[in-house]
């Protein structure tokens, strides 16, 4: 019985479908009408299923077609945000990964429990303005894509700034502001090999915060720039080799701690989003329990995967390898939860 | 009849000549005496023609030799700036591209007409200081390489700063200052396949503006740093996959709109130089209607070309592929205008 | 007689060992206990020798094993810092490179003599606070990894800041502060081919100085951030092609000037650490006379090595090629000093 690899056409779908093709699978892109051009021009899909939207009804119809084709769905960041965590959990199509992880990733309280159980260092969180005793960053929830975030040095500063914010009626989180460089760590853990792999690293490219440093301080003071953190791309990096032990340990701990979710735990690609401080400590502010867009940099392999693999190994392709090996070993059920 | 690929030894010549070799062409580097070492060490040229300068007389002599060899010239940024737009237009050697585009690219008024016809978003331009009603950047013309540019918040600020500028007697343009991250988009359009390709993306590396952010605000205020925007390199990036539809649309529109130039329009490599704002809008401040130096990052292929091509496809090599296919299809005249 | 390639497991060992494997050598990683995981997961070592520490006694025992295996040691930055310059000089195991260079690289006075003899431009150095007549950076010596460095605009500013520094009892150097972008140039010079190669370029990724530009000037002023320059990674870049002539000239001059060290001079990989100014001048603030960690970006080749080599050529692999050719040509003694 032949399987087909399918995903929603966005985020990291080019790499997922290309990787699947490289491993011999047929591929399906599920695409919002009008957004199909990249998938045609880069020619990564054997079939493009067009949808008007990602409503319950639309995707029910898609699922019927997917099941006819014996398709395995690969989730990614936009996949989850388009369908919603709950709808994802209810998918009846074959699904690579452990759906139970989705809720733990999307719920900030559960996420924190998981990260702490893994022994990772997290930024402190303040339940109220009064608790702020160090520089803090205020992040608004919802689909704002990093807009409106601000830095507060104390309770008074917070109150002055929140009062002026256009987002003040949104819910938000107040987090310790860590001064250090961003490092996004891309991992892969296979339930077949039981081995953790460090795939690559990136730094997000955020508008406009990654260009305000190009404005002289005198001009910045005058221009009244609103700082925003909207992710629009990624840039590559490698990290100091002596930090790799720590990186691996963090990844292994996250996988081990994921047994609190259920007996399948976390597997496949995931990412720890960290700030690396002058003390060379990784402060983890988030986990993405699926493929992240930063891996798009490494469609032809990264300096790290080039060490291990003789073929160019993107994270998307690594997923396809996992599925292929599972099929060959009659263990497909072990990667579909 | 065998063709040879030739270019002036600078800018992106290493990649152009290497790419031509990879496609089976013999290559010629036209090199200012004393600048030939990189082309020897990297061994990309079958022949190096040394010149004392790029004067009319020198290049006339070069053209005689090029025509004897049946050479096809590949233009690039320094190519045009060394010879001048007018001299380029008068070249009698075979020339890849449409020479009529050169004037539209180099003339700021015509360039703006073209970009606007393509429906792209441009920064506003102010004809006089009095019109400045938002932060503006003042750019001086001529071979200054990004020196002396300054930001003005209003007419008064402009007047105070221009009065103190050592470049005040130069002509300049006053443009809306867009706060967002730079994104340079590398395209290729083949008149043979009629298909637009997204080759890669980069961010320019400019001295000293890309290091002033490393100076603490207190020190910056004291040090009296003059900000400059001299391009000395490039760094790689990938962009959010959901933005690719827009990127492709912009490229297709630019090609379609280029029919105002003449019936051959724009083809081959080109670049849109943009600022990507927090609203995820691309504000286009310039078009380069030929290969740009940012593609030098991707001599062994980019994450995007790796999707489409099984061999490493630099932009330089893509040009050679276009020429080779044109020859094979007896359509060479279609790529030489 | 078969040779084995060995190095201390840190810094750029993954690339060195992988490169050696690619050239057909067996490999040994000398690893501090508890730090071996990356070397196992990336599977680059045929043998891992575990040590408790890098004391004289421990390494004497290691040397006995290395000599039994006919191992050639490859030095790198952490190699030298773990063992110390003196101990490195006394190694009796086969050693790739010229040990006499180590003292010239590590002694700031000798290093300056060497760089000046090569005609490179260096930042000015001030022997006392009173001499400061331009913005200066104060760098503390010892294993602080870039912590506590500060910028002083004049003698008074220096005195005020040094008095408050927690590192004030350390020795330090006062250097002209050059405002320009960092460019790290990776070279390779083979004593067999007598040819200089430009391998790649990087920019270091330093915490927290590479993220303070993401903090708005108003917040920076309030947050009281201590700036530090701890290197935790690297990001890739290419430079303007017209600068390559100058880059090659600088490298050739450094190699030529290294004859003041001894008759073997500098060979193998090395790096010039520069600031590139708006005048397009390279100001060299340091030389690393061995492989640098920035080359870890290019484990699968760089845009520059891809021009010259048909196989992916990391700097680590280039070392192995040099040793292999030396063996084949019965010239091994020429690369072991």
């Amino acid at each position: 019985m032949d399987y087909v690899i399918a995903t929603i056409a966005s985020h990291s779908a080019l790499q997922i479908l290309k990787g699947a093709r490289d491993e011999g699978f047929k591929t399906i892109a599920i695409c919002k009408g009008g957004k199909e051009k990249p998938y045609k021009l880069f020619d990564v899909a054997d079939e493009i299923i067009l949808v008007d939207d990602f409503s319950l009804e639309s995707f029910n119809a898609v699922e019927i077609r997917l099941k006819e084709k014996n398709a395995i769905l690969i989730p990614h960041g936009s996949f989850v945000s388009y369908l919603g965590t709950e709808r994802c959990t209810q998918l009846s199509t074959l699904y690579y990964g452990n759906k139970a992880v989705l809720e733990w990733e999307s719920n900030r309280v559960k996420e924190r429990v998981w990260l702490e159980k893994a022994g990772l260092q997290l930024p402190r969180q303040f339940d109220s303005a009064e608790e702020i005793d160090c520089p803090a960053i205020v992040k608004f929830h919802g689909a704002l894509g990093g807009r409106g975030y601000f830095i507060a040095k104390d309770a008074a500063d917070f109150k002055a700034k929140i009062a002026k914010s256009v987002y003040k009626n949104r819910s938000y989180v107040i987090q310790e502001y860590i001064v250090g460089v961003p490092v996004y760590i891309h991992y892969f853990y296979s339930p077949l090999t039981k081995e953790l792999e460090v795939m690559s690293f990136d730094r997000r490219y955020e508008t406009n915060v990654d260009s305000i440093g190009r404005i002289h301080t005198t001009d910045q003071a005058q221009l009244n720039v609103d700082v925003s953190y909207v992710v629009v791309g990624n840039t590559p990096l490698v990290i100091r080799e002596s930090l790799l032990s720590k990186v691996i340990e963090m990844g292994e701990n996250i996988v081990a701690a994921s047994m609190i979710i259920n007996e399948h735990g976390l597997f496949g690609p995931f990412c720890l989003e960290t700030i690396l401080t002058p003390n060379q400590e990784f402060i983890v502010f988030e986990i993405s329990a699926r493929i992240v867009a930063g891996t798009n940099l490494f469609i032809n392999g990264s300096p790290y995967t080039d060490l291990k693999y003789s073929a160019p190994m993107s994270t998307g392709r690594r997923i396809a390898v996992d599925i292929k090996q599972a099929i060959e070993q009659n263990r497909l059920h072990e990667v579909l939860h």
Side-chain angles (χ1 to χ4, degrees), chain A residues 96 245 333:
Chain A
Y96 178 79
S245 286
H333 60 285

Side-chain angles (χ1 to χ4, degrees), chain A residues 11 50 53 67 75 82 196 287:
Chain A
H11 190 271
L50 290 179
D53 53 46
K67 280 180 273 190
Y82 287 168
L196 182 80
I287 182 169

Side-chain angles (χ1 to χ4, degrees), chain A residues 28 39 88 133 171 244 257 259 288 303 317:
Chain A
I28 298 173
Y39 303 90
C88 275
D133 59 1
S171 67
L244 284 177
M259 292 304 144
S288 295
R317 185 168 180 177

Side-chain angles (χ1 to χ4, degrees), chain A residues 87-330:
Chain A
R87 177 71 181 94
C88 275
T89 311
Q90 295 158 354
L91 287 168
S92 56
T93 313
L94 301 176
Y95 174 101
Y96 178 79
N98 180 359
K99 285 176 206 154
V101 170
L102 293 173
E103 199 204 334
W104 283 74
E105 176 203 44
S106 60
N107 178 317
R108 283 182 189 255
V109 176
K110 287 194 165 180
E111 183 189 22
R112 211 170 162 90
V113 169
W114 180 12
L115 294 172
E116 281 176 348
K117 189 176 156 62
L120 304 186
Q121 281 190 270
L122 310 182
R124 293 162 59 212
Q125 235 163 251
F126 304 111
D127 291 333
S128 70
E130 281 65 32
E131 289 182 14
I132 302 176
D133 59 1
C134 68
I137 183 162
V138 180
K139 299 175 174 177
F140 294 93
H141 293 151
L144 296 166
R147 306 207 69 165
Y149 291 10
F150 64 84
I151 296 173
K153 64 170 177 161
D154 54 28
D157 192 30
F158 169 84
K159 284 171 186 167
K161 284 173 174 165
I162 195 89
K164 282 189 290 185
S165 170
V166 297
Y167 304 111
K168 64 184 159 198
N169 296 321
R170 297 252 177 186
S171 67
Y172 53 80
V173 61
I174 311 175
Q175 239 173 28
E176 181 186 4
Y177 184 77
I178 309 287
V179 186
V181 291
V183 173
Y184 293 77
I185 312 172
H186 314 149
Y187 294 100
F188 190 89
Y189 177 75
S190 167
L192 307 176
T193 63
K194 306 276 182 215
E195 195 174 272
L196 182 80
E197 299 172 41
V198 176
M199 302 299 286
S200 43
F201 298 88
D202 84 296
R203 172 178 174 149
R204 285 190 184 159
Y205 194 43
E206 294 174 339
T207 179
N208 57 17
V209 73
D210 279 320
S211 67
I212 61 164
R214 287 167 54 95
I215 306 174
H216 189 279
T217 188
T218 316
D219 291 324
Q220 263 192 60
Q222 291 194 344
L223 294 195
N224 212 7
V225 174
D226 279 326
V227 178
S228 56
Y229 301 76
V230 180
V231 184
V232 289
N234 307 269
T235 59
L237 55 94
V238 294
I239 67 153
R240 200 173 178 143
E241 194 163 306
S242 58
L243 292 168
L244 284 177
S245 286
K246 178 70 186 161
V247 163
I248 293 166
E249 187 189 321
M250 296 192 320
E252 291 180 338
N253 289 348
I254 270 289
V255 170
S258 72
M259 292 304 144
I260 53 167
I261 297 171
N262 66 20
E263 73 275 23
H264 309 303
L266 172 70
F267 62 87
F270 64 98
C271 175
L272 289 179
E273 295 155 26
T274 79
I275 298 294
L276 187 45
T277 71
N279 291 328
Q280 301 196 44
E281 291 172 332
F282 291 93
I283 312 298
V284 180
F285 58 91
E286 217 170 317
I287 182 169
S288 295
R290 27 87 198 162
I291 188 169
V292 290
T295 62
N296 290 339
L297 285 159
F298 305 108
I299 284 180
N300 210 32
S302 83
Y304 298 93
T305 60
D306 289 338
L307 286 170
K308 191 178 173 73
Y309 293 100
S310 54
M313 189 56 65
S314 69
T315 294
R317 185 168 180 177
R318 186 63 189 83
I319 295 170
V321 167
D322 212 40
I323 294 172
K324 194 174 164 186
Q325 291 182 341
I327 294 169
E328 288 167 358
Q329 299 172 19
N330 280 317

